[in-house]
Amino acid sequence: MKLIIAAIKPFKLEEVREALTGIGVRGMMVTEIKGFGSQSGHTEIYRGAEYAVNFVPKVKLEIVVADAMADQVVETIASTAKTDKIGDGKIFVLDVEGAVRVRTGETNDDAI
């Protein structure tokens, strides 16, 4: 199993969710986060005063899938979340040692 963690622009969330559902992803966890990467934040003007915004709003997706599906999920997220502008996000893929469905006690692939 693989854990796929993706940080994307918030306005792309629904489009990415629909695309993932379309390829058979059955669940995900979503968290609103703030962070920065290459863009290192930006400046904004509020009531005539300029101030630095060091952390940019993002949405973090966490998805656990079978090994065979991981590449397709990564490609789907990357192609759907892409805007060709700085700050499109990052995707990380990690190994998962185990999973348990609390309600039924199913484990590993059966749990996802």
Side-chain angles (χ1 to χ4, degrees):
M1 293 177 297
K2 300 290 185 188
L3 170 61
I4 299 167
I5 301 171
I8 63 171
K9 291 183 175 182
F11 70 89
K12 284 293 201 171
L13 175 60
E14 188 58 26
E15 189 178 344
V16 170
R17 186 200 60 78
E18 288 176 4
L20 290 172
T21 301
I23 64 166
V25 172
R26 298 184 338 189
M28 70 180 72
M29 294 175 279
V30 179
T31 310
E32 292 181 7
I33 62 170
K34 292 183 180 184
F36 69 92
S38 301
Q39 80 269 33
S40 299
H42 61 281
T43 58
E44 290 185 3
I45 298 177
Y46 179 71
R47 293 188 176 181
E50 185 175 4
Y51 65 97
V53 177
N54 294 322
F55 294 98
V56 180
K58 300 284 183 195
V59 174
K60 179 171 76 169
L61 308 177
E62 295 174 273
I63 307 159
V64 178
V65 296
D67 290 340
M69 199 173 177
D71 289 341
Q72 184 182 15
V73 170
V74 169
E75 178 54 37
T76 299
I77 295 169
S79 63
T80 308
K82 185 176 183 177
T83 67
D84 286 324
K85 294 188 172 76
I86 195 163
D88 275 351
K90 295 273 192 303
I91 301 171
F92 305 99
V93 181
L94 293 80
D95 288 323
V96 174
E97 289 188 28
V100 176
R101 184 185 309 265
V102 174
R103 179 177 54 87
T104 63
E106 293 170 298
T107 59
N108 299 329
D109 283 340
D110 293 334
I112 59 173

